[in-house]
Amino acid sequence: MRSLEQLRGLSSTLAIPRKDKVPTDEFRDLHYAANWPVLMAGAVERWPAVRRWTPDYLKAVVGNAPVQVQVDRTADPDFERRMADHAATLPFDAFIDRISRPDAGNEAYMTAYNSAQNAQALAPLHADLDFLGAYLSRDADRPHGMMWIGPRGAFTPLHHDLTNNLLLQLVGRKVVLMAPPGETPRLYNDHHVYSRIRDLTAPDVLARFPKLEGVRVHRVALDPGDALFIPLGWWHQVSALDFSVTITHTNFLWPNDAYATYPRT
Protein backbone atom coordinates (compact mmCIF):
# COMPACT_ATOMS: atom_id res chain seq x y z
CA MET A 1 0.00 0.00 0.00
CA ARG A 2 2.83 2.39 0.82
CA SER A 3 4.52 1.66 -2.51
CA LEU A 4 1.30 2.40 -4.39
CA GLU A 5 0.93 5.71 -2.58
CA GLN A 6 4.53 6.59 -3.43
CA LEU A 7 3.73 5.98 -7.09
CA ARG A 8 0.61 8.13 -6.90
CA GLY A 9 2.72 10.82 -5.28
CA LEU A 10 4.67 11.18 -8.52
CA SER A 11 1.61 12.75 -10.14
CA SER A 12 1.11 16.50 -10.00
CA THR A 13 -2.60 16.16 -10.82
CA LEU A 14 -3.82 13.70 -8.17
CA ALA A 15 -5.60 16.28 -6.07
CA ILE A 16 -9.19 16.35 -4.88
CA PRO A 17 -10.96 18.20 -7.69
CA ARG A 18 -13.37 21.07 -7.24
CA LYS A 19 -16.20 20.87 -9.77
CA ASP A 20 -19.29 22.98 -10.34
CA LYS A 21 -21.49 20.28 -11.84
CA VAL A 22 -20.96 16.53 -11.94
CA PRO A 23 -23.27 14.43 -14.15
CA THR A 24 -24.41 11.09 -12.74
CA ASP A 25 -22.22 8.94 -15.01
CA GLU A 26 -19.14 11.05 -14.32
CA PHE A 27 -19.70 10.88 -10.57
CA ARG A 28 -20.14 7.10 -10.72
CA ASP A 29 -17.15 6.41 -12.96
CA LEU A 30 -14.56 8.95 -11.81
CA HIS A 31 -15.40 9.14 -8.11
CA TYR A 32 -17.73 6.47 -6.70
CA ALA A 33 -16.25 3.50 -8.57
CA ALA A 34 -12.74 4.99 -8.60
CA ASN A 35 -12.75 5.65 -4.81
CA TRP A 36 -11.70 9.27 -5.36
CA PRO A 37 -13.20 12.30 -3.58
CA VAL A 38 -14.72 15.33 -5.24
CA LEU A 39 -15.86 18.71 -3.95
CA MET A 40 -19.03 19.79 -5.75
CA ALA A 41 -19.05 23.54 -5.22
CA GLY A 42 -22.48 25.08 -4.77
CA ALA A 43 -24.28 21.77 -5.31
CA VAL A 44 -27.00 22.66 -2.78
CA GLU A 45 -26.59 26.45 -2.58
CA ARG A 46 -30.15 27.09 -3.80
CA TRP A 47 -31.80 24.94 -1.14
CA PRO A 48 -33.99 26.99 1.23
CA ALA A 49 -32.08 25.61 4.24
CA VAL A 50 -28.89 27.39 3.17
CA ARG A 51 -30.43 30.84 3.53
CA ARG A 52 -32.99 30.11 6.28
CA TRP A 53 -31.28 28.00 8.92
CA THR A 54 -30.10 30.53 11.47
CA PRO A 55 -30.12 29.41 15.11
CA ASP A 56 -33.30 31.41 15.74
CA TYR A 57 -35.06 29.88 12.74
CA LEU A 58 -34.10 26.36 13.78
CA LYS A 59 -35.46 26.98 17.28
CA ALA A 60 -38.69 28.39 15.90
CA VAL A 61 -39.31 25.32 13.71
CA VAL A 62 -38.24 22.53 16.07
CA GLY A 63 -39.01 24.25 19.37
CA ASN A 64 -38.32 22.42 22.61
CA ALA A 65 -38.68 18.92 21.18
CA PRO A 66 -36.31 16.54 22.99
CA VAL A 67 -33.24 15.57 20.95
CA GLN A 68 -30.27 13.32 21.62
CA VAL A 69 -26.86 14.98 21.38
CA GLN A 70 -23.25 14.37 22.43
CA VAL A 71 -22.09 16.24 25.56
CA ASP A 72 -19.08 16.47 27.89
CA ARG A 73 -16.67 15.85 25.03
CA THR A 74 -13.84 18.21 25.90
CA ALA A 75 -12.50 16.33 28.92
CA ASP A 76 -12.44 12.96 27.17
CA PRO A 77 -9.82 12.48 24.42
CA ASP A 78 -11.69 9.36 23.29
CA PHE A 79 -15.14 10.96 23.06
CA GLU A 80 -15.53 9.71 19.48
CA ARG A 81 -14.86 6.10 20.42
CA ARG A 82 -17.16 6.35 23.43
CA MET A 83 -20.09 8.05 21.72
CA ALA A 84 -22.67 6.07 23.67
CA ASP A 85 -21.23 7.30 26.97
CA HIS A 86 -21.64 10.92 25.88
CA ALA A 87 -25.24 10.73 24.67
CA ALA A 88 -27.72 12.99 26.47
CA THR A 89 -31.24 14.27 25.82
CA LEU A 90 -31.88 18.02 25.78
CA PRO A 91 -34.68 20.29 24.58
CA PHE A 92 -33.70 21.34 21.06
CA ASP A 93 -33.98 25.07 21.71
CA ALA A 94 -31.79 24.76 24.82
CA PHE A 95 -29.22 22.80 22.81
CA ILE A 96 -29.11 25.51 20.13
CA ASP A 97 -28.65 28.20 22.79
CA ARG A 98 -25.82 26.16 24.32
CA ILE A 99 -23.87 25.72 21.08
CA SER A 100 -24.48 29.33 19.98
CA ARG A 101 -22.38 30.74 22.82
CA PRO A 102 -19.01 32.19 21.73
CA ASP A 103 -17.20 29.84 24.14
CA ALA A 104 -19.16 26.70 23.20
CA GLY A 105 -16.10 24.91 21.79
CA ASN A 106 -16.32 21.16 21.26
CA GLU A 107 -18.35 20.41 24.37
CA ALA A 108 -21.71 19.57 22.73
CA TYR A 109 -22.55 18.36 19.23
CA MET A 110 -25.45 16.65 17.47
CA THR A 111 -23.91 13.97 15.23
CA ALA A 112 -24.94 11.26 12.82
CA TYR A 113 -24.79 8.84 15.76
CA ASN A 114 -27.87 10.59 17.16
CA SER A 115 -29.84 10.61 13.90
CA ALA A 116 -32.20 7.70 14.58
CA GLN A 117 -33.26 9.18 17.92
CA ASN A 118 -33.84 12.61 16.37
CA ALA A 119 -35.73 11.67 13.23
CA GLN A 120 -39.15 12.72 14.53
CA ALA A 121 -38.01 15.95 16.17
CA LEU A 122 -36.11 17.18 13.10
CA ALA A 123 -38.72 16.12 10.53
CA PRO A 124 -40.24 19.65 10.28
CA LEU A 125 -36.92 20.86 8.81
CA HIS A 126 -37.25 18.56 5.80
CA ALA A 127 -39.48 21.13 4.09
CA ASP A 128 -36.37 23.28 3.57
CA LEU A 129 -34.41 20.52 1.82
CA ASP A 130 -34.26 19.48 -1.81
CA PHE A 131 -32.77 16.17 -3.02
CA LEU A 132 -29.70 15.22 -5.07
CA GLY A 133 -31.39 12.55 -7.13
CA ALA A 134 -28.43 12.40 -9.54
CA TYR A 135 -26.49 10.45 -6.89
CA LEU A 136 -28.89 9.46 -4.12
CA SER A 137 -31.80 7.07 -3.73
CA ARG A 138 -35.03 7.93 -1.93
CA ASP A 139 -35.46 4.23 -1.14
CA ALA A 140 -33.82 4.44 2.28
CA ASP A 141 -34.78 4.47 5.95
CA ARG A 142 -33.66 8.11 6.20
CA PRO A 143 -33.73 9.56 2.67
CA HIS A 144 -33.04 13.05 4.05
CA GLY A 145 -29.73 11.94 5.55
CA MET A 146 -28.19 12.32 8.99
CA MET A 147 -27.86 15.76 10.53
CA TRP A 148 -24.90 17.30 12.32
CA ILE A 149 -25.51 20.54 14.24
CA GLY A 150 -22.68 22.05 16.23
CA PRO A 151 -20.78 25.11 17.36
CA ARG A 152 -17.70 26.82 16.10
CA GLY A 153 -14.89 24.57 17.29
CA ALA A 154 -16.77 21.29 16.92
CA PHE A 155 -14.28 18.61 15.97
CA THR A 156 -14.43 15.04 14.69
CA PRO A 157 -11.11 13.20 15.14
CA LEU A 158 -9.27 11.23 12.48
CA HIS A 159 -11.12 8.07 11.37
CA HIS A 160 -12.46 6.35 8.28
CA ASP A 161 -15.98 5.16 7.54
CA LEU A 162 -17.38 1.85 6.32
CA THR A 163 -19.60 3.56 3.76
CA ASN A 164 -19.25 6.08 0.98
CA ASN A 165 -20.46 9.42 2.34
CA LEU A 166 -21.81 12.61 0.78
CA LEU A 167 -21.48 15.64 3.07
CA LEU A 168 -23.83 18.53 2.37
CA GLN A 169 -22.68 21.75 4.04
CA LEU A 170 -25.78 23.86 4.65
CA VAL A 171 -24.76 26.37 7.33
CA GLY A 172 -21.32 27.63 8.29
CA ARG A 173 -17.87 26.53 7.14
CA LYS A 174 -15.86 23.42 7.82
CA VAL A 175 -12.37 22.18 7.02
CA VAL A 176 -11.88 18.49 6.20
CA LEU A 177 -8.42 16.88 6.19
CA MET A 178 -8.30 13.65 4.20
CA ALA A 179 -5.82 10.87 3.47
CA PRO A 180 -6.38 7.93 1.09
CA PRO A 181 -6.85 4.34 2.27
CA GLY A 182 -3.39 3.45 0.95
CA GLU A 183 -1.85 5.54 3.74
CA THR A 184 -3.39 3.29 6.42
CA PRO A 185 -0.06 1.60 7.37
CA ARG A 186 1.27 5.02 8.43
CA LEU A 187 -1.86 6.31 10.17
CA TYR A 188 -1.62 4.30 13.40
CA ASN A 189 -4.91 2.47 12.99
CA ASP A 190 -5.20 0.81 16.42
CA HIS A 191 -8.88 -0.17 16.71
CA HIS A 192 -11.66 -0.65 14.17
CA VAL A 193 -11.96 2.59 12.13
CA TYR A 194 -9.99 4.75 14.57
CA SER A 195 -6.43 6.02 14.77
CA ARG A 196 -4.16 6.72 17.71
CA ILE A 197 -3.83 10.11 16.03
CA ARG A 198 -6.70 12.38 16.99
CA ASP A 199 -5.65 15.56 15.19
CA LEU A 200 -3.27 15.78 12.23
CA THR A 201 -2.68 19.46 12.99
CA ALA A 202 -1.49 18.98 16.58
CA PRO A 203 1.88 20.77 17.09
CA ASP A 204 3.67 17.61 18.26
CA VAL A 205 2.02 15.16 15.89
CA LEU A 206 5.17 14.24 13.92
CA ALA A 207 7.23 13.80 17.05
CA ARG A 208 4.67 11.44 18.53
CA PHE A 209 3.82 9.64 15.28
CA PRO A 210 6.95 9.63 13.09
CA LYS A 211 5.49 7.31 10.44
CA LEU A 212 3.33 10.27 9.39
CA GLU A 213 6.32 11.86 7.70
CA GLY A 214 5.47 12.16 3.99
CA VAL A 215 1.80 11.17 4.25
CA ARG A 216 -0.20 13.10 1.66
CA VAL A 217 -2.99 14.95 3.42
CA HIS A 218 -5.61 16.75 1.34
CA ARG A 219 -7.25 19.86 2.79
CA VAL A 220 -10.80 20.67 1.67
CA ALA A 221 -12.60 23.86 2.70
CA LEU A 222 -16.39 23.56 2.75
CA ASP A 223 -18.58 26.63 2.33
CA PRO A 224 -22.37 26.78 2.68
CA GLY A 225 -23.94 25.10 -0.33
CA ASP A 226 -21.00 22.77 -1.06
CA ALA A 227 -21.10 18.97 -1.18
CA LEU A 228 -18.10 16.73 -0.52
CA PHE A 229 -17.90 13.08 -1.53
CA ILE A 230 -15.80 11.09 0.97
CA PRO A 231 -15.24 7.61 -0.45
CA LEU A 232 -15.15 4.38 1.49
CA GLY A 233 -12.00 3.98 3.55
CA TRP A 234 -10.69 7.54 3.20
CA TRP A 235 -9.32 8.84 6.50
CA HIS A 236 -10.68 12.22 7.51
CA GLN A 237 -11.07 14.67 10.36
CA VAL A 238 -13.48 17.59 10.40
CA SER A 239 -13.31 21.01 12.09
CA ALA A 240 -16.13 23.56 12.21
CA LEU A 241 -15.10 27.19 11.71
CA ASP A 242 -18.59 28.53 12.51
CA PHE A 243 -21.92 27.43 13.93
CA SER A 244 -22.72 24.80 11.35
CA VAL A 245 -25.29 22.39 10.03
CA THR A 246 -24.19 19.47 7.85
CA ILE A 247 -26.11 16.52 6.45
CA THR A 248 -24.44 13.21 5.65
CA HIS A 249 -25.93 10.85 3.07
CA THR A 250 -25.07 7.18 2.56
CA ASN A 251 -28.14 6.29 0.47
CA PHE A 252 -26.45 6.24 -2.94
CA LEU A 253 -27.84 4.80 -6.16
CA TRP A 254 -25.08 2.15 -6.08
CA PRO A 255 -24.02 -0.52 -3.54
CA ASN A 256 -22.77 0.89 -0.25
CA ASP A 257 -22.66 -2.00 2.21
CA ALA A 258 -18.97 -2.66 2.86
CA TYR A 259 -19.72 -2.50 6.60
CA ALA A 260 -21.45 -5.87 6.36
CA THR A 261 -18.18 -7.77 5.95
CA TYR A 262 -15.80 -5.50 7.86
CA PRO A 263 -14.21 -7.04 11.02
CA ARG A 264 -15.82 -5.78 14.22
CA THR A 265 -12.51 -5.32 16.04
Side-chain angles (χ1 to χ4, degrees):
M1 294 172 77
R2 182 170 184 175
S3 296
L4 289 173
E5 287 305 319
Q6 287 176 333
L7 290 173
R8 293 187 184 101
L10 297 174
S11 171
S12 61
T13 61
L14 278 181
I16 295 176
R18 177 186 177 93
K19 301 181 179 180
D20 292 332
K21 293 183 179 180
V22 185
T24 300
D25 290 352
E26 178 181 332
F27 178 83
R28 181 196 61 210
D29 295 344
L30 299 185
H31 301 288
Y32 201 87
N35 193 244
W36 197 261
V38 60
L39 173 64
M40 295 183 281
V44 298
E45 64 183 357
R46 296 188 179 183
W47 289 16
V50 174
R51 63 179 183 272
R52 290 179 181 171
W53 283 7
T54 63
D56 286 341
Y57 179 89
L58 294 171
K59 289 194 298 181
V61 173
V62 180
N64 64 356
V67 292
Q68 186 185 88
V69 299
Q70 305 292 302
V71 298
D72 301 328
R73 291 156 51 99
T74 306
D76 181 4
D78 284 327
F79 62 84
E80 186 72 10
R81 302 186 189 211
R82 293 196 282 258
M83 290 180 285
D85 295 339
H86 291 271
T89 300
L90 299 175
F92 180 81
D93 51 3
F95 167 68
I96 295 296
D97 286 339
R98 178 172 177 173
I99 64 174
S100 298
R101 298 197 308 256
D103 61 347
N106 190 41
E107 187 69 3
Y109 199 6
M110 179 187 292
T111 74
Y113 175 81
N114 309 120
S115 59
Q117 297 293 329
N118 295 336
Q120 182 175 351
L122 300 181
L125 294 173
H126 294 168
D128 294 332
L129 303 175
D130 205 334
F131 193 77
L132 292 178
Y135 323 117
L136 303 173
S137 170
R138 294 185 183 275
D139 184 17
D141 292 338
R142 290 186 291 276
H144 294 289
M146 297 168 283
M147 198 170 296
W148 305 68
I149 305 178
R152 175 182 180 180
F155 178 68
T156 301
L158 187 67
H159 69 289
H160 70 85
D161 291 317
L162 304 181
T163 54
N164 294 283
N165 292 344
L166 187 63
L167 271 63
L168 310 182
Q169 188 62 25
L170 300 177
V171 178
R173 300 166 298 153
K174 284 184 172 178
V175 171
V176 184
L177 300 185
M178 303 176 63
E183 299 285 15
T184 298
R186 295 197 284 172
L187 289 175
Y188 295 83
N189 181 200
D190 66 330
H191 174 67
H192 201 46
V193 300
Y194 301 110
S195 170
R196 287 171 54 199
I197 305 164
R198 272 52 169 191
D199 183 0
L200 289 166
T201 68
D204 61 346
V205 69
L206 281 178
R208 295 176 59 205
F209 305 104
K211 289 192 295 184
L212 272 176
E213 185 70 42
V215 169
R216 289 185 305 130
V217 177
H218 303 262
R219 183 184 187 276
V220 180
L222 286 177
D223 291 321
D226 290 346
L228 174 64
F229 174 57
I230 301 180
L232 171 71
W234 273 70
W235 291 88
H236 56 285
Q237 65 179 61
V238 185
S239 302
L241 305 182
D242 310 296
F243 173 91
S244 68
V245 184
T246 308
I247 291 179
T248 300
H249 280 278
T250 60
N251 49 311
F252 288 94
L253 295 171
W254 310 281
N256 197 21
D257 58 354
Y259 58 85
T261 56
Y262 194 83
R264 292 184 178 273
T265 57

